Each structure stands twice: as structure tokens, then as C-alpha cells.
């Protein structure tokens, strides 16, 4: 007994306690719900069996049913377009802004802070504002495009199946750009200035400095941003609810909105859980890629 | 069990008050002396509904509590989107309220599973709630398997609003609104004026329950139904909708806009006609700066069967209640206040035996009369326990056809297959 106590105080026991505590917390708060979700995807669940734990087991029936539905593949495709489009837009504009503020003109840090306003706003509010901007007949965006002569007729951003998904992507890029910019700014600030001085002495031009110093030194930051972006875009729900509701005809529907729609609009909880499981698989895959890509990182 | 015993004592006490005034007075004195202990003996009920403070339920509950009849009700407001999921969760964990207001297409979901109390016997004995006093549509929505599982709380339906000034401006007779589908499309063509930002018609084909709510009446007028959604008439109905969308007689945003926002464009003079319900009357009376009227929903051809949508909520008692008698008493009280519903809250009682007094606003009163007429043809959605899935199939068909991704016939055939799978 005494041995055990002293081991907990300073020895292997202490390490075990240190590991066990967060593990237990993770298991309770994240592991169990995750397992419950996976369990539900193999069961027949309806609203009146929600409170019980042991429900009829149906094997892979939910998965088979899901993939026999005609809308499944288009929605998965939309999700891929939404994720890549959003991340690419957020990252490129965010990086551009971060480089811009890196020049450090008077008031740069102050202005950079102000950009965060877009990220602080709740998604539903952002959605409602973009709803007005993108509105077909009286939308601000259409007005601007028309006045500048880019388009001749109104584009029905929310109601035209060719545009609806991009309408949400535009709103999401606006929402996430500031966050990308801040993280990238932090990354830029941590690059030692003498590297650039040395390169300049060796006669490297701005483009070469960017390619050979800035980008390689930012590798882990970029990796982190892309993987966080993946998580944030896969969580993006409010904008869909506020702008298109996944319509028209599922043309802007994505897995996260669909899972909610199945569970809480059609009360098909098992299928909602099934989609969530598929999403988890994708996120896990992406995280593995991310972890591997930053493993052999050498920091300056 | 303890609760039931106490409640019986209490009932005797109440009867005593009625029979012997003297003893009653003494009892009252007792109540006032031992106020706290008397309160503890009150039967407590809980009522959940989505009504806000300017809507009926909280007022009905407050008025009921003022009766001091030994039943006290606690009121809880729930959000529209949460009604079903909250109710399900509460019921499956044994914490359901005694009374709930539920949207009529979801009623069957609960009654078919035995979650709601069968009220048939209590209604047959009731002097306040009589089935023959209700409009057939709302009444049918509380029925399951030939029994009554609730009482209609209020009702609404949809009809056609039209801008009389615009009719005049385009050379149409403002006293002859369109009566058939062909006339509707024809008038919409004449009224549409892109240069002035005016569409002929505003309605909602949104991919949620609102889309089904607006489309199903058209299918029903064409002889279809949710069980027979690909009938010839229903295909024709969807084809008419597609014509309206293709010719831009209605805004393309009709596909993603709800009824309230669509009718907003009518109020602002950007649409000459609008399909919506009586809930618009108040706002339109204030906002619309033109002469408007309401007419019955146009039919496929002259003399065809009329139909319309039926909306709004029903009262129901959960089967798990410990106080079914008292809960029903509360419903009886709610029903007894139906005659004040339109005057106080602008909602239509689901009753054919109540004459709604005029408000004094000519346009609003005239509109109301049309809606009361239209209510006679209102049909419930379902009732079917898996209504959300049926509705989703119909919404998908509407959207697939209107976006041009499949023909109205193919879209409705596909919907019929999906619905058949649900119906089993």
C-alpha cells in the first residue's frame, strides 16, 4: 500500500495517473458519444427507442440503404467541392492578407485585429446577412455585378442549382478568411529575420525568398491550418441552414446538413448516425495525412 | 398512487363546495388560512406549446389558473423546430408533459405509437368538445384508427391574394380574379413586368414542409393525393408550377423562400398575386399600400373539386399523464375559449359552429370570409406516422421538376415509389 502511494507520488504511478486522467476524460466526453454514434449506425432507431440502448441490430443495412439512395453520391461530391473550395479560398485570401499586413505599415496590427470581426460573428447571423447579399431579385451582389457590367441578368445564387453551392462557399470563405490570416500571421512572425538578410546578401529576389524561405518555414503552420480548415468546414452547418437549406433539389446539400436533416427533420436517426460515421472516417483519414506530413518537420 | 388518492379527496372537497354553500365557505376559509398546504394539494399539470406571449396558449393557461379549481397548470414554451424532438425525448425518458400542442401532420406519429391518450370516450361524454362542431379537415388530423387522440387547437389554410390596383393597371377586372389554373397562368403572364420588378405570382416551393403544404392542395384538386402523387392531375399541377417558374412568372427564389418572405414581396408591390394563409392578414393590412383581395385557390378547370392545405396545431394529452381527467378538463376550458381566438390573437378556431365577428377593417374581413370558405375544403396532410418521409419525397419531386433536373412526370413517379416504400 505504502509502495503504491509513493509510486503515485513520484514514480511510474504518477505517470500512469497523468495519462489516465486525460484519457478517461477523452473517453467519457468524446469516445463514448463516438462509439454510441457508431452503434446507432448499425441499429434500427426510431424516435421512441431513442431512450433505450439495446435496439434491433440490422448490420450494414443502414449503409446499404444510404448508398442506394440516388442523392448520396451527389451530396458526397458537393461536400468535397465545398471543403476544397472553402479551404482553398480561405487559405489563399488569408495568406495574401497575412503577407500584406506583414509589411508592417502604421496601424497594420490594429487593422489585422479588426479583420477578426467576421470570424467572431455567429454563423446564423453571417448566414442571414449573406442571404440578403445573395438574394436574387434585390441582392447587393447582383446589383454590384450588374452595375459594373459583369452580368446582364440577375444570378439567382440561392435558387439556381448551378450556383447554390458556390453561394455558400463564398459566404464560408468570407467567414473563415480572418482566422486563416491570424494563424498565418503568427507563423510569419516566427520566421527569423536573419534568414532573409542572408538570402538578400546572396542576391535572392523576393519571389525566390518566398519560395525557399517563407513557404518551407511555414510548412507546419500551413498543415495545421489546412487540417483545422477541414474540421471547420465539415462542421459548417449554420450557413447552409440560413442560405439554401441544402436546396434546391439537394444541389447545395452536404453531409453535415444532410445528417441533421435525416435525424431531426425526417427522424431517421440511424441514417443520420450512419452519415456521421462516414464523415468521421474521412476526418480520420485527413488527420493521418496531416500528422504524417508534419512528422519529419525541422523547425528553425 | 398517493397522488391519485389525494386528488380524489380534493374532488370531493370541490363537490362539497357546490352542494353545501356553508361548508364551502368554511372550506374556503380553511384554504385561505392554510394557503400553503392547500396549494400543495392542487393537481399540477404541465402544458408545452410553441405559443409566445402574444399568442393564445399562455393566456389560456393563465386564465385557467385563475379559476382556482384545484388544478394548476405550468406553461413551457418550446421553439417550433424543437417541438417533436423535445416531445419524443421527454416521452421516451418518462418526463413528458401532460398536455402538448403538436403540429397536425405530426399528430399521427405519436398517436399511432400509443404516446397520446385516446380521448374518444371523454369526448363522447363532454358537453364542451363535440366532434360535429369542428371542420372535417382539422378533426381528421387528430384521428387515428377511428379514435380521437387530440383536439384541434386552431386552423389555417391557403388561398390566393391579389393586388387589385395592378389588375386594373394591366386591364384586368379587379373583381374577377383567376378561378382556374389556366386563368392563373394567363393573368400571371399579363401581370409580370420585369421592367418594374413585378412578378405575376409569389408562392413557396421550398424544400421543407412549406413546399408540401403549398403543393399538395394542387395535387388534390387534380384528383391526386399523397398515396397517389403521380396521378395525371398531380402531374398537370406540377407542370403548371413548372410553366410559372420557367416563364419567370414567379421569382426563381420561390425555390428557397418560405411563404412569409414570398408574401412579403407581394406586400411591397413586387408580386401581383400571392398564395398564402390568413396569418398574413394582419401584416398585409398594415404594409400593403394598395387595394387587395383574396380569392379561393384556383381549380384545374371550372367545376372541379376544390381543395386546400390545412395547417396549425392540435392539443393532445400524453398517455403517460397521471391526471387524464384534469388534463381533459383543461382542454375543455381551452376549447370553451375558441370564440375569442380570432379577436384576441388573429388565429382561426377549427370550429364551424363559431361565427367570427367583424373587425371593422373591410379588406381584412372580406379576406377572412374567403379563408373560412376555403377551410371547408381543407384536407390534412396524412395522417400518417411517417409523414416527414412522405413529405420529403414530395418536396424532392417539386424541386427536381422545377430546377429542370427531371420532368414533372418522372419526378412524381419517383416520389410515388419512395412513398410506396414508406407506406409498405
Amino acid at each position: 500500500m505504502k509502495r503504491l502511494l509513493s509510486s503515485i507520488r513520484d514514480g511510474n504511478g504518477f505517470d500512469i495517473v497523468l495519462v489516465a486522467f486525460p484519457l478517461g476524460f477523452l473517453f467519457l466526453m468524446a469516445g463514448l458519444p463516438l462509439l454510441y454514434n457508431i452503434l446507432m449506425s448499425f441499429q434500427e432507431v426510431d424516435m421512441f427507442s431513442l431512450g433505450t440502448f439495446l435496439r434491433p441490430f440490422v448490420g450494414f443495412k443502414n449503409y446499404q440503404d444510404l448508398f442506394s439512395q440516388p442523392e448520396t453520391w451527389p451530396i458526397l461530391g458537393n461536400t468535397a467541392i465545398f471543403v476544397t473550395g472553402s479551404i482553398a479560398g480561405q487559405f489563399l485570401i488569408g495568406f495574401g492578407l497575412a503577407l500584406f499586413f506583414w509589411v508592417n505599415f502604421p496601424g497594420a496590427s490594429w487593422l489585422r485585429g479588426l479583420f477578426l470581426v467576421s470570424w467572431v460573428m455567429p454563423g446564423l447571423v453571417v448566414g442571414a446577412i449573406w442571404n440578403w447579399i445573395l438574394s436574387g431579385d434585390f441582392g447587393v451582389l447582383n446589383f454590384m455585378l450588374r452595375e459594373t457590367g459583369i452580368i446582364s441578368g440577375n444570378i439567382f445564387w440561392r435558387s439556381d442549382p448551378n450556383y447554390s453551392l458556390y453561394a455558400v462557399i463564398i459566404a464560408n470563405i468570407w467567414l473563415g478568411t480572418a482566422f486563416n490570416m491570424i494563424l498565418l500571421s503568427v507563423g510569419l512572425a516566427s520566421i527569423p529575420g536573419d534568414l532573409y538578410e542572408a538570402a538578400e546578401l546572396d542576391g535572392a529576389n523576393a519571389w525566390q525568398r518566398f519560395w525557399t524561405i517563407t513557404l518551407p518555414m511555414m510548412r507546419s503552420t500551413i498543415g495545421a491550418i489546412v487540417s483545422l480548415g477541414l474540421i471547420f468546414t465539415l462542421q459548417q452547418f449554420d450557413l447552409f441552414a440560413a442560405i439554401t437549406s441544402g436546396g434546391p433539389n439537394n444541389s447545395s446539400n452536404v453531409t453535415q446538413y444532410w445528417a441533421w436533416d435525416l435525424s431531426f427533420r425526417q427522424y431517421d436517426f440511424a441514417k443520420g448516425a450512419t452519415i456521421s460515421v462516414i464523415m468521421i472516417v474521412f476526418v480520420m483519414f485527413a488527420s493521418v495525412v496531416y500528422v504524417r506530413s508534419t512528422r519529419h518537420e525541422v523547425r528553425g | 398512487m398517493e397522488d391519485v388518492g389525494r386528488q380524489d379527496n380534493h374532488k370531493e372537497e370541490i363537490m362539497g363546495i357546490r352542494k353545501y354553500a356553508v361548508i364551502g365557505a368554511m372550506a374556503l376559509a380553511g384554504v385561505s388560512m392554510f394557503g400553503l398546504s392547500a396549494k400543495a394539494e392542487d393537481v399540477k399539470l404541465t402544458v408545452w406549446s410553441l405559443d409566445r406571449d402574444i399568442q393564445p396558449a399562455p393566456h389560456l393557461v393563465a386564465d385557467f389558473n385563475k379559476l382556482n379549481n384545484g388544478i394548476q397548470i405550468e406553461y413551457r414554451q418550446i421553439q417550433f423546430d424543437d417541438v417533436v424532438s423535445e416531445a419524443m425525448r421527454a416521452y421516451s425518458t418518462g418526463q413528458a408533459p401532460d398536455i402538448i400542442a403538436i403540429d397536425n401532420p405530426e399528430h399521427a406519429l405519436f398517436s399511432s405509437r400509443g404516446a397520446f391518450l385516446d380521448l374518444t370516450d371523454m369526448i363522447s361524454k363532454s358537453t364542451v368538445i363535440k366532434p360535429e362542431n369542428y371542420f372535417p379537415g382539422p378533426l381528421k388530423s387528430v384521428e387515428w384508427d377511428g379514435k380521437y387522440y387530440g383536439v384541434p387547437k386552431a386552423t389555417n389554410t391557403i388561398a390566393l391574394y391579389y393586388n387589385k390596383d395592378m389588375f386594373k393597371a394591366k386591364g384586368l377586372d379587379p373583381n374577377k380574379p383567376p378561378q382556374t389554373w389556366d386563368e392563373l397562368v394567363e393573368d400571371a403572364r399579363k401581370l409580370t413586368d420585369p421592367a418594374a420588378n413585378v412578378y405575376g405570382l409569389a408562392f413557396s416551393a421550398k424544400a421543407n414542409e412549406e413546399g408540401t403544404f403549398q403543393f399538395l392542395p394542387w395535387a388534390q384538386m387534380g384528383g391526386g393525393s399523397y398515396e397517389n402523387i403521380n396521378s395525371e392531375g398531380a402531374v398537370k399541377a406540377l407542370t403548371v408550377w413548372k410553366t410559372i417558374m420557367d416563364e419567370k412568372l414567379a421569382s426563381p427564389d420561390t425555390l428557397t423562400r418560405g411563404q412569409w418572405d414570398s408574401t412579403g414581396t407581394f406586400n411591397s408591390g413586387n408580386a401581383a398575386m400571392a398564395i398564402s394563409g390568413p396569418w398574413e392578414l394582419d401584416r398585409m393590412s398594415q404594409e400593403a399600400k394598395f387595394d387587395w383581395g383574396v380569392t379561393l385557390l384556383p381549380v384545374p378547370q371550372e367545376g372541379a373539386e376544390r381543395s386546400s392545405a390545412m395547417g396549425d396545431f392540435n392539443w393532445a394529452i400524453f398517455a403517460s399523464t397521471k391526471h387524464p381527467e384534469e388534463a381533459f378538463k383543461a382542454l375543455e376550458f381551452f376549447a370553451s375559449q375558441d370564440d375569442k381566438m380570432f379577436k384576441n390573437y388573429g388565429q382561426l378556431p377549427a370550429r364551424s359552429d363559431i361565427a367570427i365577428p367583424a373587425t371593422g377593417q373591410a379588406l381584412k374581413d372580406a379576406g377572412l370570409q374567403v379563408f373560412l370558405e376555403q377551410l371547408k375544403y381543407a384536407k390534412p396532410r396524412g395522417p400518417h406516422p411517417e409523414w416527414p418521409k412522405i413529405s420529403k419525397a414530395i418536396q424532392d419531386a417539386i424541386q427536381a421538376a422545377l430546377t429542370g433536373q427531371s420532368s414533372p412526370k418522372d419526378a412524381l413517379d419517383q416520389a410515388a415509389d419512395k412513398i410506396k416504400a414508406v407506406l409498405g
Side-chain angles (χ1 to χ4, degrees):
Chain A
M1 190 63 203
K2 208 175 172 191
R3 242 231 220 110
L4 191 75
L5 272 177
S6 77
S7 140
I8 286 176
R9 229 175 301 143
D10 50 3
N12 283 341
F14 185 64
D15 295 342
I16 291 171
V17 170
L18 278 184
V19 173
F21 185 72
L23 258 188
F25 182 81
L26 268 182
F27 180 70
L28 267 180
M29 307 307 281
L32 275 185
L34 201 79
L35 288 176
Y36 185 69
N37 195 43
I38 296 174
L39 178 74
M40 262 174 59
S41 75
F42 290 104
Q43 288 178 325
E44 191 187 306
V45 189
D46 67 35
M47 55 195 67
F48 292 96
S49 60
L50 259 187
T52 57
F53 197 68
L54 295 168
R55 291 168 285 232
F57 188 75
V58 294
F60 280 94
K61 186 171 170 296
N62 289 323
Y63 291 85
Q64 281 164 356
D65 286 356
L66 194 76
F67 281 98
S68 66
Q69 278 175 250
E71 63 264 41
T72 304
W73 285 110
I75 290 177
L76 288 175
N78 286 346
T79 313
I81 297 174
F82 177 71
V83 167
T84 45
S86 297
I87 293 179
Q90 289 174 354
F91 177 77
L92 288 178
I93 302 175
F95 208 1
L97 282 172
L99 289 170
F100 177 72
F101 285 118
W102 197 33
V103 176
N104 233 348
F105 50 90
S109 63
W110 197 72
L111 275 173
R112 189 167 49 199
L114 270 186
F115 263 79
L116 266 186
V117 166
S118 69
W119 195 65
V120 172
M121 286 216 280
L124 275 175
V125 176
V126 174
I129 293 170
W130 277 95
N131 215 353
W132 297 329
I133 298 177
L134 296 167
S135 157
D137 291 308
F138 308 102
V140 180
L141 185 61
N142 272 341
F143 177 77
M144 279 173 20
L145 292 176
R146 229 175 29 236
E147 291 299 303
T148 50
I150 296 174
I151 55 169
S152 53
N154 284 335
I155 294 176
F156 286 84
W157 294 98
R158 290 155 49 210
S159 309
D160 187 329
N162 299 317
Y163 291 100
S164 54
L165 184 59
Y166 298 97
V168 187
I169 292 178
I170 292 173
N172 195 34
I173 289 175
W174 181 83
L175 186 66
T177 295
F179 180 69
N180 275 250
M181 182 199 69
I182 291 292
L183 281 196
L184 288 164
S185 292
V186 173
L188 285 175
S190 69
I191 302 176
D194 44 1
L195 281 178
Y196 290 101
E197 275 170 39
E200 239 170 308
L201 284 175
D202 288 340
N205 62 24
W207 183 244
Q208 284 169 324
R209 289 196 304 263
F210 177 76
W211 264 123
T212 54
I213 301 174
T214 313
L215 268 188
M217 294 298 284
M218 293 283 285
R219 194 175 145 178
S220 69
T221 312
I222 292 170
I225 282 178
V226 170
S227 63
L228 279 179
L230 181 78
I231 292 167
F232 284 147
T233 46
L234 279 179
Q235 278 181 352
Q236 185 48 262
F237 170 84
D238 303 356
L239 290 179
F240 288 95
I243 300 177
T244 63
S245 314
N249 197 25
N250 287 327
S251 61
S252 66
N253 208 353
V254 290
T255 46
Q256 60 268 37
Y257 188 80
W258 196 33
W260 172 81
D261 190 85
L262 280 172
S263 293
F264 298 106
R265 281 264 197 75
Q266 300 175 53
Y267 313 121
D268 196 339
F269 295 96
K271 284 240 186 62
T274 308
I275 299 173
S276 311
V277 171
I278 295 171
M279 286 175 70
I280 292 168
V281 172
F282 275 114
V283 174
M284 289 237 180
F285 179 74
S287 340
V288 169
V289 170
Y290 159 66
V291 169
R292 289 192 69 94
S293 76
T294 52
R295 188 189 283 166
H296 306 293
E297 173 95 343
V298 189
R299 292 229 64 164
Chain B
M1 284 316 288
E2 217 179 36
D3 271 352
V4 177
R6 237 191 259 156
Q7 165 198 328
D8 284 343
N9 288 340
H10 204 85
K11 231 187 275 165
E12 281 167 25
E13 194 179 288
I14 290 175
M15 283 163 75
I17 296 173
R18 285 205 186 125
K19 281 183 186 159
Y20 312 105
V22 182
I23 299 174
M26 283 170 72
L28 276 177
V31 166
S32 57
M33 274 172 79
F34 304 103
L36 276 175
S37 63
K39 233 182 186 161
E41 278 183 31
D42 275 348
V43 170
K44 282 230 161 58
L45 298 176
T46 43
V47 170
W48 288 6
S49 116
L50 80 170
D51 283 0
R52 285 171 288 130
D53 50 0
I54 54 161
Q55 290 170 317
H59 295 274
L60 291 174
V61 167
D63 290 348
F64 184 83
N65 286 342
K66 273 186 217 138
L67 298 180
N68 257 329
N69 58 0
I71 309 171
Q72 286 294 309
I73 302 180
E74 215 171 280
Y75 180 69
R76 185 184 151 207
Q77 189 200 332
I78 27 183
Q79 297 302 316
F80 178 83
D81 282 333
D82 301 333
V83 172
V84 174
S85 51
E86 277 282 284
M88 280 176 341
R89 206 164 26 221
Y91 181 73
S92 55
T93 53
Q95 293 168 352
D98 299 281
I99 300 172
I100 192 166
I102 192 105
D103 201 3
N104 74 75
E106 333 239 46
H107 203 114
L109 177 81
F110 287 84
S111 34
S112 68
R113 301 300 188 99
F116 284 162
L117 197 66
D118 177 1
L119 306 178
T120 317
D121 290 342
M122 287 196 256
I123 288 178
S124 66
K125 286 182 207 133
S126 173
T127 53
V128 186
I129 298 173
K130 292 177 185 155
E132 62 268 24
N133 288 345
Y134 287 85
F135 287 118
L139 191 67
K140 196 162 171 241
S141 76
V142 301
E143 270 182 65
W144 181 253
D145 224 4
K147 300 192 188 90
Y148 296 119
Y149 286 91
V151 179
K153 174 173 177 279
T155 191
N156 62 53
T157 186
I158 52 174
L160 183 73
Y161 289 92
Y162 64 104
N163 183 328
K164 290 187 177 176
D165 290 350
M166 283 190 188
F167 267 61
K168 271 182 234 163
K170 297 285 173 188
L172 295 168
D173 185 347
N175 294 318
K176 270 198 188 146
Q179 294 303 311
T180 65
W181 293 354
D182 289 342
E183 286 174 26
L184 179 74
V185 174
E186 207 43 55
D187 288 356
R189 282 191 187 119
K190 285 182 189 144
L191 291 160
T192 301
D193 188 349
N197 272 330
V198 175
Y199 288 106
L201 180 67
F203 64 107
S204 172
K206 198 177 177 183
N208 64 11
E209 192 62 35
E210 286 184 82
T212 311
F213 186 69
Q214 290 242 326
F215 178 71
L216 208 55
W218 287 64
Q220 286 161 352
M221 285 187 280
S225 67
Y226 72 90
E227 295 123 315
N228 190 13
I229 197 69
N230 57 347
S231 77
E232 205 184 318
V235 173
K236 195 186 163 210
L238 192 51
T239 312
V240 172
W241 274 35
K242 192 167 159 49
T243 310
I244 293 172
M245 296 306 295
D246 285 353
E247 294 185 20
K248 293 247 165 100
L249 306 178
S251 167
D253 275 344
T254 303
L255 286 172
T256 47
R257 203 160 51 190
Q259 302 174 99
W260 183 252
D261 289 341
S262 289
T263 315
T265 66
F266 173 83
N267 292 348
S268 62
N270 295 105
M273 298 184 279
I275 299 174
S276 197
W279 58 84
E280 309 278 2
L281 286 168
D282 274 334
R283 180 175 64 153
M284 201 175 290
S285 311
Q286 286 162 17
E287 284 183 7
K289 304 275 178 275
F290 49 81
D291 191 13
W292 50 271
V294 189
T295 189
L296 297 178
L297 222 48
V299 289
Q301 65 275 330
E302 228 166 303
E305 188 200 351
R306 289 196 179 278
S307 179
S308 190
M310 194 208 89
D312 227 309
F313 279 59
N314 297 324
W315 290 116
I317 300 175
F318 268 103
S320 54
T321 179
K322 292 199 185 82
H323 312 290
E325 305 279 332
E326 287 80 357
F328 189 72
K329 232 180 238 170
L331 290 197
E332 286 188 316
F333 175 78
F334 295 167
S336 72
Q337 305 296 307
D338 276 348
D339 52 340
K340 298 174 191 125
M341 187 121 73
F342 187 74
K343 187 171 151 265
N344 292 352
Y345 314 107
Q347 296 192 4
L348 296 179
R351 306 263 296 258
S352 53
D353 63 326
I354 293 176
I356 294 177
T359 60
Q361 287 170 274
L363 293 180
K364 198 171 152 187
D365 287 337
L368 178 66
Q369 290 311 312
V370 177
F371 280 112
L372 288 177
E373 167 77 13
Q374 185 84 74
L375 266 181
K376 291 181 193 157
Y377 312 107
K379 285 186 187 162
R381 285 157 282 158
H384 192 279
E386 301 226 54
W387 181 255
K389 282 186 186 160
I390 296 172
S391 175
K392 174 79 176 150
I394 298 174
Q395 297 157 26
D396 287 348
I398 299 172
Q399 296 242 318
L402 296 189
T403 53
Q405 287 170 336
S406 50
S407 74
K409 173 100 178 85
D410 290 347
L412 288 173
D413 281 346
Q414 208 181 13
D417 284 346
K418 284 190 210 161
I419 293 172
K420 207 181 280 167
V422 173
L423 296 177

